[in-house]
Amino acid sequence: MTAPILRRLADLRALTSDWKRKGESIGVVPTMGALHQGHLSLVEAAKAGCDRVIVTIFVNPKQFNNPEDLEKYPRTEIEDAQKLVPYGVDAIYVPEPEEIYPQGFATTVSVAGLTDVMEGEFRPGHFDGVATVVAKLFLQTQADRAYFGEKDYQQLMIVTRMARDLDIPTEVVGCPTVREPSGLAMSSRNLRLSPEGLDIAANKHRIMRDLANALKDGAQFDQLAAKAEADLLAAGFTQVEYVQLRCAENLEPLSHATRPTRLFAAAWADGVRLIDNIPV
């Protein structure tokens, strides 16, 4: 049976308040829809860790820099609800825009430092939109735990810091990236790739894995980064925005993998911007 779809905050609050009175824990999986197995793995984690689970679906206009990108973002609410049936979630929250940004809305949540690099550099204001909507969803759902994929690792770090800094009593739980058999990180944006584009995109994980293996053997990142970018272009990517090695704890740039690190990359293939990261 399909979980109830709630569109008004008042209806959501009535439900969550009842759960809270009963002492039940609430998990939330914030999404923008177009659900894939990566999202569903977060739902599984939430079901394992909480008494009640809410999946939110909201295509957040404040985190899109490009209006065309916002317009093209897939919206598949009916299909998403069907995909959630086997998981027995307790509610699907699909708020109307005015439930998130009511008339006169004038507040922005901004996390300094972590938002200045990588995605923040190439998508100015993006993480302000993410932090703002996630703060709203944490408070609206009254969630005890929220589940995010490591595929968007920078985002995971930012929402964790945001919740901590603002004393929002929601524990942020990071979950491993789910990949296609080709190694391509699952993403809603993959729906926009042609078969040829999917073949090109799959090369990114291989190239990143080769670089990570060299770094594990003690190689210096600066000596290999240019080759990795060239390999991506040779594989058919049309533009490489960045390939970077950063500390897994604070995103500080590193030249060697001498402590927990992650390798990050963003590149365009088939007109679609794709990001990925792997631990080193």
Side-chain angles (χ1 to χ4, degrees):
M1 191 172 78
T2 304
I5 296 176
L6 309 177
R7 301 187 190 277
R8 296 176 61 246
L9 175 57
D11 296 332
L12 176 68
R13 279 280 169 82
L15 199 59
T16 57
S17 295
D18 183 55
W19 295 340
K20 289 288 187 181
R21 278 194 298 271
K22 295 175 182 176
E24 296 175 323
S25 60
I26 300 173
V28 65
V29 180
T31 82
M32 293 204 299
L35 301 185
H36 51 67
Q37 193 56 46
H39 295 114
L40 300 178
S41 73
L42 302 180
V43 175
E44 284 184 315
K47 287 288 292 182
C50 302
D51 298 316
R52 300 287 187 173
V53 174
I54 302 167
V55 175
T56 71
I57 299 175
F58 180 66
V59 182
N60 178 29
K62 288 188 179 293
Q63 69 188 71
F64 285 83
N65 308 84
N66 184 342
E68 184 179 348
D69 197 20
L70 172 61
E71 185 179 335
K72 287 182 178 179
Y73 200 87
R75 290 163 172 82
T76 55
E77 180 185 318
I78 295 173
E79 295 90 336
D80 292 342
Q82 287 300 315
K83 289 177 183 177
L84 291 169
V85 168
Y87 297 88
V89 303
D90 298 281
I92 305 171
Y93 182 44
V94 190
E96 301 292 349
E98 56 269 23
E99 295 291 318
I100 301 294
Y101 304 120
Q103 186 174 3
F105 187 85
T107 300
T108 297
V109 179
S110 183
V111 180
L114 292 173
T115 60
D116 297 336
V117 299
M118 294 189 296
E119 292 300 286
E121 180 181 349
F122 284 91
R123 303 179 69 186
H126 166 71
F127 284 125
D128 288 355
V130 170
T132 302
V133 77
V134 170
K136 293 274 295 194
L137 291 171
F138 283 4
L139 296 169
Q140 290 189 349
T141 61
Q142 304 183 66
D144 297 285
R145 299 181 190 89
Y147 295 80
F148 291 83
E150 291 184 349
K151 186 254 177 185
D152 296 293
Y153 191 84
Q154 187 176 9
Q155 171 181 275
L156 171 62
M157 294 194 71
I158 287 164
V159 298
T160 301
R161 176 71 61 83
M162 178 272 296
R164 188 189 75 184
D165 287 356
L166 297 182
D167 299 321
I168 298 176
T170 301
E171 176 190 358
V172 177
V173 181
C175 300
T177 303
V178 178
R179 299 184 179 277
E180 303 285 357
S182 65
L184 176 64
M186 289 190 177
S187 169
S188 301
R189 293 176 186 273
N190 294 351
L191 294 173
R192 292 166 50 190
L193 292 167
S194 66
E196 180 184 3
L198 284 168
D199 289 340
I200 292 170
N203 287 294
K204 188 200 284 189
H205 185 244
R206 172 183 57 80
I207 292 167
M208 293 179 70
R209 194 176 61 238
D210 290 346
L211 177 52
N213 288 335
L215 292 166
K216 288 177 186 175
D217 292 335
Q220 183 173 331
F221 174 72
D222 293 345
Q223 296 176 348
L224 298 174
K227 181 182 183 303
E229 292 187 19
D231 288 346
L232 287 166
L233 293 171
F237 284 87
T238 54
Q239 180 185 356
V240 179
E241 289 187 346
Y242 61 79
V243 176
Q244 296 184 15
L245 182 71
R246 292 188 173 265
C247 174
E249 297 172 352
N250 59 18
L251 298 186
E252 174 189 350
L254 299 174
S255 60
H256 290 84
T258 53
R259 49 181 158 144
T261 58
R262 292 189 87 93
L263 182 64
F264 297 84
W268 289 80
D270 198 24
V272 180
R273 186 178 185 275
L274 301 169
I275 64 172
D276 201 353
N277 72 91
I278 57 174
V280 179

